[in-house]
Amino acid sequence: MSFTRALPFLLVFLSSWNPSAGDPRTSFVAQFCNSTQSANGPLLADYFVPAMDNLSSLVHSNGYGTTVYGQAPNAVYGLGQCLGDLDSIDCQLCFSEIRSQLPKCYPKTGGRIYLDGCFGRYENYSFFNRIFDANDTSVCNNTRKSSNSGVFTGLLREIVGNVTSSAVGAGGYAVNSASNSGSTIYVLAQCWQNLNKALCNSCLTAATSSILGCAPALEGRALFAGCFIRYSNSLFWNTYQTNSSSSGSDLPWIIPVSVVGALLLIVGFVVWWKIVRKKKSKYFEEFYQPGLTISQSNLHFKYGELKKATGNFSQSNKLGQGSYGTVYKAVLSDNKEVAVKRLLLNTRQWIDQFFNEVNLVNQVRHKNLVKLLGFSVDGPESLLLYEYFANRSLDLFIFDTTPDKHLDWDQRYDIIQGVAEGLAYLHEESETRIIHRDIKASNILLDDKFKPKITDFGLARSFPEDQTHLSTGVAGTLGYMAPEYVVHGHLTEKADVYSFGMLILEIVTGKKCSNAIGPRTGQSLLSKAWNHYRDDTLSEIITESIYTESAKDEIVHVIKTGLFCTQANPHDRPTMLKVVELLRNSKREEEFVLTDPPFLDVDIDVEEGEVSCLLTNSSAQAMSTSSSQFSAR
Ligand SMILES: *[C@@H]1O[C@H](CO)[C@@H](O)[C@H](O)[C@H]1NC(C)=O
Ligand SMILES: *[C@@H]1O[C@H](CO)[C@@H](O)[C@H](O)[C@H]1NC(C)=O
Ligand SMILES: *[C@@H]1O[C@H](CO)[C@@H](O)[C@H](O)[C@H]1NC(C)=O
Ligand SMILES: *[C@@H]1O[C@H](CO)[C@@H](O)[C@H](O)[C@H]1NC(C)=O
Ligand SMILES: *[C@@H]1O[C@H](CO)[C@@H](O)[C@H](O)[C@H]1NC(C)=O
Ligand SMILES: *[C@@H]1O[C@H](CO)[C@@H](O)[C@H](O)[C@H]1NC(C)=O
Ligand SMILES: *[C@@H]1O[C@H](CO)[C@@H](O)[C@H](O)[C@H]1NC(C)=O
């Protein structure tokens, strides 16, 4: 084991010691959904997704934002707010979580969600100046109570009063603490930034009287339509220590560790590491899992070198935005062209994600999967190096009608077959079962011969054999996402199969699985294809540019395979191995009958925090029509 191999671990170790690493406080507090069902779910989806996109970018840059999309009665009004103590990276992390959770209210006309670090809400009417509504409440943690109830309650009343009046005077946010007879109480108050002083004051006054009802519980939160208060007996807000360095934000996780502390840690670590090595401990082998070749020093690149290779991450070299980071084209000193993914890393969670990606991508070798060429962990951000493909991604071709971007049917067929083989490998043949979770046209890269390469394993998770599904925070791209995954967060290989089915439909029809913005002109791609299947007129949806009489039957067979993959019930969908086989047989006449319509009719009720599913009609159609990334990381 080399030191290079141990280095990432050291960095993880350091970062968990870093006193200034922020906490995005994504822990869930409460979610309320309006009880009214939208009269037009699909139309709501068309506005909901871009509204959330817009809101995210506003919140990322300002810590706060409001947005309006569409026309009544289907308009979407959105509001997002990070609490005042979060810095922009933590705010971004927190709001990403809101973005993936808020759609659980969909297709209700509105909903709001409180996390400990941020807030998000959407409605079909303008609620921006509303400070109260029927769901306003306090949540008290009654597991521990103050032993000195009288003193505690008096102190709480006083400090909450002080903090709320500071907040009203200071643009809507304040924190403070007070101690008395051995108890300390920490209080944070936040009004949404759009409210004026008077409204903020009314909201906080009402929230104060509500939260005082929590005493003598040692922790409480008031959740109001226009404001939030939390108190606790322990410090819970972020105190970023930026004073020790002028460039703290450039080097968020190294510099703030005091130099002496860092040196001591490194010395201690090296000594410990040597001892570990002497004992021939298997620790690192276990940490990295078998098959990982991170120790190969030629995989490790210097941050400065890569930064230079991308022209200081210049906008002109930007290739796109993937999960967890931005991708740039870079030219290494030996003139080799590579793609560099710049990961935002400053919390423990992100570092784990990073190693998850390095781990997975390194274990995976297949002609239809993008290879990892290297990484860098010595700079302020971690970087991953991939092969660069001149033809970039599939979405640049199939949705573009200009002749020089034209792919003929044989090329498209090869792409479909290649992606299927790559996925089958991930699901069944690689050492670790891997669910990609974000199969879509922009994640399929094309080499100079237009052979497909699946990229972006950032959302991938290794998938233990003994589990039938993973229940995770939903991430991925609406429109490509299987209904059971959107609604329940249930993740199996069949979610990839569903996304792959959507991809087939897009490749064959040249249409995106949704028109994300603007009033709908037609039915969703999926329902359209399904109707043509029922009427036995599937050949009508083939895009003109690839239609030929001789290829028609083969194309129709491929579309049917796509529909087979998008059936509502995951158990009815084929495995990817089966899909590969079906596609290979496409020249032969093999009839199969789809039994299960591709819509899962989903309705979501939130009762006492529990999400349950009923079956209704319009909603799932809506889910399959909306398209956008949840997490613009
Ligand atoms: C639910 O939505 C309706 C309008 O669709 C609105 O009048 C009502 O106030 C909303 N309820 C809550 C709790 O926001
Ligand atoms: C968000 O919407 C506002 C108007 O509601 C618009 O001015 C702004 O440009 C949009 N931002 C983005 C990033 O789409
Ligand atoms: C919100 O949606 C509900 C149900 O579709 C509708 O009855 C109501 O009029 C809408 N509210 C507004 C302000 O458009
Ligand atoms: C929110 O308020 C509505 C009434 O406007 C009520 O029907 C619903 O049950 C409330 N939801 C929760 C989770 O308390
Ligand atoms: C209540 O506080 C305890 C101890 O601080 C914590 O472990 C628990 O998760 C809290 N419960 C809730 C519902 O916040
Ligand atoms: C609250 O404010 C008052 C007046 O500004 C001050 O005298 C008092 O000490 C403050 N109390 C606490 C607990 O900070
Ligand atoms: C930095 O230090 C100065 C003086 O020591 C202090 O006034 C200021 O509040 C500190 N800033 C931060 C962000 O801690």
Side-chain angles (χ1 to χ4, degrees):
M1 181 182 61
S2 73
F3 189 75
T4 324
R5 183 167 191 164
L7 180 66
F9 183 76
L10 171 61
L11 293 178
V12 171
F13 185 65
L14 268 179
S15 80
S16 60
W17 270 73
N18 176 1
S20 89
D23 176 1
R25 292 207 305 278
T26 52
S27 43
F28 177 83
V29 181
Q31 178 161 11
F32 308 101
C33 301
N34 198 308
S35 47
T36 318
Q37 176 95 6
S38 170
N40 189 338
L43 195 45
L44 173 62
D46 281 353
Y47 297 136
F48 181 79
V49 172
M52 284 300 126
D53 267 350
N54 184 295
L55 198 54
S56 284
S57 62
L58 293 172
V59 170
H60 290 176
S61 43
N62 309 321
Y64 157 81
T66 57
T67 189
V68 185
Y69 264 83
Q71 288 89 39
N74 298 292
V76 174
Y77 292 75
L79 183 151
Q81 172 85 55
C82 284
L83 300 198
D85 64 306
L86 263 58
D87 71 4
S88 83
I89 290 173
D90 286 327
C91 174
Q92 192 166 334
L93 291 171
C94 192
F95 201 74
S96 302
E97 187 67 17
I98 295 253
R99 232 184 138 192
S100 65
Q101 297 301 320
L102 203 50
K104 286 187 178 168
C105 284
Y106 185 83
K108 303 298 190 193
T109 57
R112 54 182 165 133
I113 175 169
Y114 297 83
L115 303 183
D116 265 334
C118 54
F119 170 80
R121 181 175 183 186
Y122 77 95
E123 300 288 349
N124 70 346
Y125 61 93
S126 175
F127 63 90
F128 301 145
N129 278 323
R130 306 233 177 155
I131 49 176
F132 305 125
D133 71 31
N135 292 109
D136 292 344
T137 184
S138 288
V139 179
C140 312
N141 186 336
N142 288 313
T143 51
R144 288 172 313 125
K145 298 192 172 171
S146 169
S147 51
N148 193 345
S149 166
V151 171
F152 185 87
T153 307
L155 184 61
L156 181 65
R157 184 179 300 277
E158 191 179 336
I159 182 69
V160 170
N162 279 16
V163 170
T164 52
S165 60
S166 322
V168 171
Y173 165 77
V175 291
N176 211 340
S177 62
S179 302
N180 190 357
S181 313
S183 27
T184 303
I185 306 179
Y186 298 84
V187 177
L188 177 155
Q190 173 86 59
C191 288
W192 312 154
Q193 229 164 292
N194 58 301
L195 300 179
N196 63 25
K197 275 191 184 182
L199 287 173
C200 177
N201 189 30
S202 313
C203 186
L204 288 176
T205 305
T208 299
S209 46
S210 170
I211 204 173
L212 290 179
C214 282
L218 288 174
E219 173 142 60
R221 297 167 177 88
L223 315 176
F224 275 59
C227 59
F228 173 83
I229 304 180
R230 176 178 176 190
Y231 77 84
S232 171
N233 66 329
S234 56
L235 178 64
F236 57 86
W237 58 80
N238 286 303
T239 53
Y240 301 97
Q241 297 180 0
T242 52
N243 258 358
S244 54
S245 160
S246 56
S247 59
S249 62
D250 279 342
L251 298 172
W253 48 302
I254 300 292
I255 290 294
V257 180
S258 80
V259 175
V260 174
L263 281 177
L264 280 176
L265 276 175
I266 290 172
V267 169
F269 180 81
V270 169
V271 169
W272 173 70
W273 168 70
K274 285 192 167 160
I275 294 170
V276 167
R277 190 171 59 162
K278 270 199 186 124
K279 286 185 179 165
K280 293 200 164 39
S281 158
K282 288 269 179 280
Y283 187 85
F284 288 106
E285 278 69 18
E286 278 157 21
F287 181 76
Y288 283 120
Q289 299 169 18
L292 179 76
T293 51
I294 204 168
S295 63
Q296 294 171 4
S297 54
N298 61 356
L299 272 185
H300 188 255
F301 287 75
K302 282 212 160 54
Y303 179 79
E305 184 188 331
L306 293 182
K307 186 175 173 190
K308 201 172 136 212
T310 58
N312 289 329
F313 302 112
S314 95
Q315 200 62 25
S316 60
N317 284 329
K318 186 169 161 179
L319 295 174
Q321 186 75 38
S323 39
Y324 304 131
T326 314
V327 187
Y328 296 86
K329 182 181 175 181
V331 182
L332 299 180
S333 51
D334 58 2
N335 280 330
K336 185 172 177 183
E337 290 179 328
V338 297
V340 171
K341 188 199 268 187
R342 185 187 196 188
L343 299 170
L344 266 179
L345 273 184
N346 84 331
T347 65
R348 180 61 202 247
Q349 182 202 350
W350 284 82
I351 291 162
D352 288 345
Q353 301 281 12
F354 173 70
F355 288 108
N356 178 37
E357 173 149 5
V358 171
N359 250 319
L360 285 177
V361 177
N362 238 299
Q363 288 172 34
V364 168
R365 305 243 172 244
H366 186 273
K367 67 179 164 54
N368 296 116
L369 299 171
V370 171
K371 274 195 208 66
L372 180 78
L373 302 175
F375 63 91
S376 157
V377 290
D378 63 350
E381 308 129 325
S382 296
L383 307 174
L384 295 176
L385 259 76
Y386 294 105
E387 297 170 282
Y388 170 75
F389 296 108
N391 280 322
R392 298 176 57 179
S393 53
L394 180 59
D395 57 319
L396 302 177
F397 290 87
I398 53 174
F399 304 129
D400 194 328
T401 50
T402 53
D404 63 321
K405 296 256 175 165
H406 177 64
L407 297 176
D408 65 25
W409 169 242
D410 285 342
Q411 285 170 314
R412 290 184 199 222
Y413 176 80
D414 286 348
I415 289 168
I416 292 171
Q417 180 76 33
V419 173
E421 285 171 16
L423 274 177
Y425 172 85
L426 284 178
H427 290 177
E428 323 259 352
E429 292 158 37
S430 63
E431 273 179 53
T432 332
R433 291 165 68 201
I434 294 169
I435 303 175
H436 184 289
R437 297 216 291 189
D438 202 13
I439 289 294
K440 58 178 170 183
S442 60
N443 276 341
I444 310 301
L445 304 185
L446 298 175
D447 71 8
D448 49 358
K449 299 193 177 66
F450 293 99
K451 299 291 177 218
K453 310 273 181 180
I454 302 172
T455 187
D456 228 343
F457 294 87
L459 291 174
R461 291 283 183 287
S462 49
F463 190 40
E465 292 292 334
D466 57 348
Q467 277 176 265
T468 52
H469 71 263
L470 292 171
S471 194
T472 70
V474 177
T477 304
L478 268 176
Y480 288 95
M481 284 161 61
E484 78 279 3
Y485 181 37
V486 176
V487 175
H488 301 285
H490 281 194
L491 180 62
T492 65
E493 289 94 337
K494 296 297 178 68
D496 279 352
V497 174
Y498 182 95
S499 309
F500 176 76
M502 291 306 303
L503 183 67
I504 289 189
L505 294 182
E506 290 187 332
I507 293 176
V508 171
T509 61
K511 302 237 169 26
K512 292 199 184 178
C513 57
S514 98
N515 303 328
I517 299 179
R520 304 154 58 74
T521 46
Q523 290 166 293
S524 80
L525 184 54
L526 193 52
S527 62
K528 192 169 154 189
W530 179 253
N531 289 341
H532 279 278
Y533 169 74
R534 256 192 335 224
D535 301 345
D536 206 12
T537 53
L538 272 179
S539 60
E540 290 173 19
I541 63 171
I542 301 172
T543 180
E544 261 172 43
S545 64
I546 60 169
Y547 185 92
T548 60
E549 213 38 56
S550 56
K552 187 184 89 181
D553 288 346
E554 187 183 32
I555 301 177
V556 166
H557 177 90
V558 171
I559 301 175
K560 281 186 194 165
T561 308
L563 287 176
F564 197 25
C565 293
T566 52
Q567 295 181 97
N569 186 339
H571 301 295
D572 291 341
R573 293 175 210 148
T575 62
M576 282 316 296
L577 274 181
K578 177 71 184 165
V579 172
V580 170
E581 190 188 312
L582 285 171
L583 290 171
R584 282 203 187 115
N585 290 342
S586 66
K587 299 218 162 79
R588 268 190 264 139
E589 206 43 46
E590 186 194 329
E591 274 308 317
F592 50 88
V593 180
L594 305 176
T595 50
D596 192 8
F599 313 123
L600 177 65
D601 296 329
V602 186
D603 181 18
I604 310 158
D605 266 1
V606 174
E607 273 162 19
E608 292 160 13
E610 282 295 310
V611 178
S612 63
C613 263
L614 305 170
L615 299 183
T616 69
N617 213 329
S618 61
S619 52
Q621 187 176 350
M623 290 195 165
S624 61
T625 56
S626 49
S627 152
S628 178
Q629 272 196 291
F630 269 137
S631 44
R633 286 165 169 173

